[in-house]
Amino acid sequence: MAESKAKGSANPERHKIPIKSILVTQPQPTTDNSPYLSIAEKYDIKVDFRAFIEVEPVPYKEFRKDKVDILAHTAVIFTSRNAVDHFFRICQESKIEMPADMKYFCISDQTAYYLQKYITLRKRKLFVGEKTAKDLFEVIKKHKGEKFLFPCSNIRKDDIPEFLKANKIKHTEAIIYKTVAADLSDLDDVTYDIIAFFSPSGISSLFINFPEFKQNNTRIAAFGPTTAKAVRDAGLELDIEAPMPNAPSMTGAIEVYIQNQMQHLKK
């Protein structure tokens, strides 16, 4: 779109400008071993963290309007810690105790481990994918007779619902939390050499908070294909895309870019 491209207005010479600052659009790490901090120390780069999106709970009264009968289901699909937290919040507010034979399908070991905050895993039926939704699909296929509940955000990927529909698996979506743009009015500006995004919602938040944002010399990094598409749809030029075969993480992709740039500038 011509209009959005004008809005982004990236400087084609920006790749010649050394990287001195990075804005990571996620919360500040709670530990000192973050790979972003390693990049900051290794290359003498300022790294700031600021969450561009926030999670808001769907009030119990609003949830009730959807008339979702949790106990009418025999299995629950969890794709994130937020989904786990807000699902059990709804259960508590509904005064529902999950039956011992309820099955839980988690997208990763990390999500499954987090479930221990609410249930005793050894007493429950737990099924875990390797890491991605596609991995979890193979597990779900073996349990097509279950009636699945998919607690999620108002903004979610289509892959799981589409898989369930395509395979004629009984399921219900339950929106239990909302992903909204964070208030970034405390930021003076977003003039960084690199801004790293992790979801389309982050791109949306950027323009909600800074409608006159111009890319100029900023390099844009995106994790995942949907985020990359949102960057381009917003009229911005994507400079760093993760994951890559040689860099499966955002930090790895950023470091590859920095190293390539340093080698190019030496020539």
Side-chain angles (χ1 to χ4, degrees):
M1 297 187 303
E3 181 180 351
S4 58
K5 286 184 178 180
K7 179 170 63 176
S9 62
N11 177 10
E13 298 295 310
R14 64 191 182 284
H15 299 288
K16 298 179 181 179
I17 301 173
I19 303 300
K20 292 296 180 183
S21 63
I22 300 174
L23 177 61
V24 181
T25 61
Q26 289 185 327
Q28 179 82 28
T30 56
T31 62
D32 295 330
N33 61 350
S34 167
Y36 291 103
L37 302 181
S38 299
I39 287 179
E41 183 177 354
K42 184 176 180 179
Y43 298 100
D44 190 24
I45 292 173
K46 174 188 175 185
V47 178
D48 291 337
F49 298 87
R50 183 66 166 87
F52 270 39
I53 59 175
E54 295 178 345
V55 171
E56 291 183 351
V58 169
Y60 175 58
K61 288 184 178 180
E62 183 176 335
F63 171 78
R64 286 183 61 187
K65 293 178 181 178
D66 291 333
K67 298 181 179 180
V68 175
D69 185 354
I70 293 175
L71 295 180
H73 300 80
T74 60
V76 186
I77 299 173
F78 289 121
T79 58
S80 69
R81 292 185 177 188
N82 281 325
V84 172
D85 282 336
H86 288 284
F87 174 75
F88 284 100
R89 170 186 61 82
I90 289 291
C91 287
Q92 183 180 22
E93 294 177 4
S94 305
K95 297 181 180 180
I96 289 176
E97 184 175 346
M98 300 304 290
D101 59 351
M102 181 67 75
K103 295 179 180 179
Y104 299 93
F105 292 75
C106 297
I107 198 167
S108 66
D109 285 329
Q110 291 86 349
T111 306
Y113 181 79
Y114 190 70
L115 263 177
Q116 294 182 92
K117 180 178 178 181
Y118 297 97
I119 63 174
T120 304
L121 292 181
R122 67 176 180 272
K123 294 182 180 179
R124 310 288 173 152
K125 296 185 177 181
L126 180 67
F127 305 89
V128 185
E130 291 291 328
K131 187 176 181 182
T132 67
K134 287 185 178 180
D135 299 327
L136 189 59
F137 294 164
E138 297 305 313
V139 180
I140 293 176
K141 281 181 180 179
K142 299 176 182 178
H143 301 269
K144 294 182 67 172
E146 304 294 337
K147 186 174 182 181
F148 289 88
L149 179 63
F150 178 37
C152 58
S153 168
N154 61 319
I155 299 175
R156 53 102 178 112
K157 294 181 179 178
D158 296 330
D159 48 4
I160 290 178
E162 287 180 352
F163 165 80
L164 295 172
K165 291 176 183 177
N167 288 273
K168 298 180 180 179
I169 297 174
K170 294 180 179 179
H171 68 281
T172 305
E173 284 189 48
I175 298 177
I176 55 173
Y177 64 100
K178 296 180 180 180
T179 304
V180 299
D183 180 2
L184 305 177
S185 57
D186 57 304
L187 289 178
D188 292 334
D189 57 54
V190 282
T191 306
Y192 287 81
D193 294 316
I194 294 177
I195 303 180
F197 292 95
F198 301 84
S199 70
S201 300
I203 302 297
S204 176
S205 178
L206 171 68
F207 286 103
I208 288 173
N209 283 276
F210 304 97
E212 300 303 320
F213 174 79
K214 298 290 189 298
Q215 186 170 354
N216 296 325
N217 297 327
T218 298
R219 270 51 60 92
I220 300 294
F223 190 88
T226 56
T227 308
K229 181 178 183 300
V231 169
R232 297 186 177 103
D233 287 347
L236 301 173
E237 292 191 30
L238 182 59
D239 305 293
I240 304 167
E241 189 168 359
M244 299 188 298
N246 61 334
S249 65
M250 175 64 87
T251 49
I254 289 175
E255 187 163 18
V256 167
Y257 178 88
I258 293 172
Q259 291 174 346
N260 289 342
Q261 187 198 48
M262 291 173 65
Q263 293 175 2
H264 181 74
L265 293 177
K266 285 180 181 179
K267 296 180 181 179

